Amino acid sequence: MPEQSRSVTFKNVSKVYASRVNAVDGVSLEIAAGSFVALVGASGSGKSTLLKTVNRLIEPSMGDVLLGGVPVTAEPPHLLRRRIGYVFQNIGLFPHMTVGENVAIGLRLAGERDTAARVAELLALVELPPKLAARMPDALSGGQRQRVGVARALACNPGLLLMDEPFGALDPVTRDGLGKAIRALHERMGLTTILVTHDMAEALLLADRVLVMEEGRIVADATPRALLAGQAGAAADALVAVPREQAARLAELAR
Ligand code: ADP
Ligand code: MG
């Protein structure tokens, strides 16, 4: 059974790098268990830094991050990370290991030996045929590789899924298909999901709640509906204007 989804709480979280960049600047917010949240913003706005404070790839300079009300520092990072799936853009499949071995890494680290059946199940979950387990990563398409990355992230039944621009390098059709697949997995597994993306259209279509980040701060926090209605402030309006105008132009062309 999947681990129960958990809330994520940021309490006045800041991160100052040695370069003195205030990458994250006093972020406080609560992400409800079971919600699908998109974190949107320009490159350099602090999205990845904020996300990585959750699985402790980055330690905040100030403030606290809680998972299900418990500080993420309450257990060793390797145990914490078993409960948190993490997918990032260049998903870093190990090139010298088969797809199956890549998917099973987390299971093996957790001490499981007989992983073949579970690997097949995980591949099915991301809609890949079981025979792909024997292939090497370089014999997959970009979209298939991202699906393998998702399967690997879900191997230990995490309650929380973090994704950092997971669709970045994919063509629009593959990207859309994978987005829908992940939303369906989110529902089916009862996950809490945080998706970092620079694509507002994707955020609006996939998430229950959209956070807009600018220079380390959350400058908008609203539902897609409120964003589209222009109720989330100037920074959010500027980002929503692009997909809104494209949708209007497409509708015009189709008339
Ligand atoms: P985003 O994911 O939104 O593109 P990041 O969180 O990667 O933003 O970066 C936020 C800011 O912190 C940027 O100005 C970036 O240059 C800086 N930064 C990120 N990582 C480091 C690092 N390891 N050392 C110093 N500065 C960093
Ligand atoms: Mg980033």
Side-chain angles (χ1 to χ4, degrees):
M1 276 301 287
E3 169 169 322
Q4 213 178 352
S5 64
R6 284 166 202 265
S7 61
V8 180
T9 311
F10 298 94
K11 279 191 184 165
N12 202 22
V13 172
S14 293
K15 175 66 185 181
V16 187
Y17 287 113
S19 57
R20 304 233 181 93
V21 178
N22 238 333
V24 172
D25 193 2
V27 169
S28 291
L29 59 96
E30 171 95 27
I31 292 174
S35 59
F36 193 124
V37 173
L39 183 56
V40 188
S43 178
S45 56
K47 307 181 297 295
S48 295
T49 302
L50 184 64
L51 194 74
K52 288 178 190 167
T53 63
V54 180
N55 60 2
R56 292 183 68 193
L57 291 174
I58 288 175
E59 301 289 345
S61 314
M62 251 178 33
D64 297 297
V65 183
L66 293 84
L67 187 56
V70 179
V72 292
T73 49
E75 63 187 330
H78 73 280
L79 293 182
L80 173 77
R81 287 177 198 147
R82 225 172 262 171
R83 304 197 285 116
I84 304 177
Y86 182 49
V87 185
F88 45 101
Q89 184 169 343
N90 300 307
I91 55 169
L93 295 182
F94 293 102
H96 56 285
M97 292 165 74
T98 65
V99 164
E101 287 165 346
N102 268 285
V103 171
I105 286 174
L107 299 171
R108 291 195 175 265
L109 287 175
E112 283 183 43
R113 270 175 201 83
D114 211 5
T115 57
R118 178 72 181 136
V119 166
E121 193 179 301
L122 286 159
L123 290 177
L125 204 60
V126 294
E127 296 158 28
L128 291 175
K131 65 176 195 298
L132 279 197
R135 288 226 198 136
M136 301 308 280
D138 68 359
L140 301 183
S141 71
Q144 288 173 327
R145 245 176 267 158
Q146 288 307 84
R147 284 177 191 261
V148 173
V150 174
R152 182 174 65 180
L154 295 175
C156 291
N157 275 327
L160 174 65
L161 181 61
L162 308 178
M163 290 185 289
D164 196 346
E165 314 231 11
F167 319 132
L170 302 176
D171 66 85
V173 174
T174 306
R175 196 178 168 114
D176 192 57
L178 194 51
K180 286 179 183 149
I182 283 172
R183 179 74 218 203
L185 279 174
H186 166 88
E187 305 296 344
R188 182 132 60 98
M189 299 182 69
L191 298 167
T192 305
T193 302
I194 309 178
L195 169 72
V196 167
T197 173
H198 56 255
D199 185 336
M200 180 54 97
E202 191 165 273
L204 292 169
L205 290 169
L206 288 177
D208 306 318
R209 176 181 175 195
V210 180
L211 306 170
V212 178
M213 215 167 169
E214 213 173 77
E215 296 182 356
R217 294 167 179 271
I218 302 294
V219 295
D221 176 353
T223 62
R225 187 174 288 275
L227 277 159
L228 284 165
Q231 294 165 353
D237 279 346
L239 294 174
V240 171
V242 181
R244 182 193 281 123
E245 206 230 333
Q246 285 180 334
R249 275 156 59 198
L250 289 172
E252 185 64 29
L253 282 174
R255 268 154 57 107

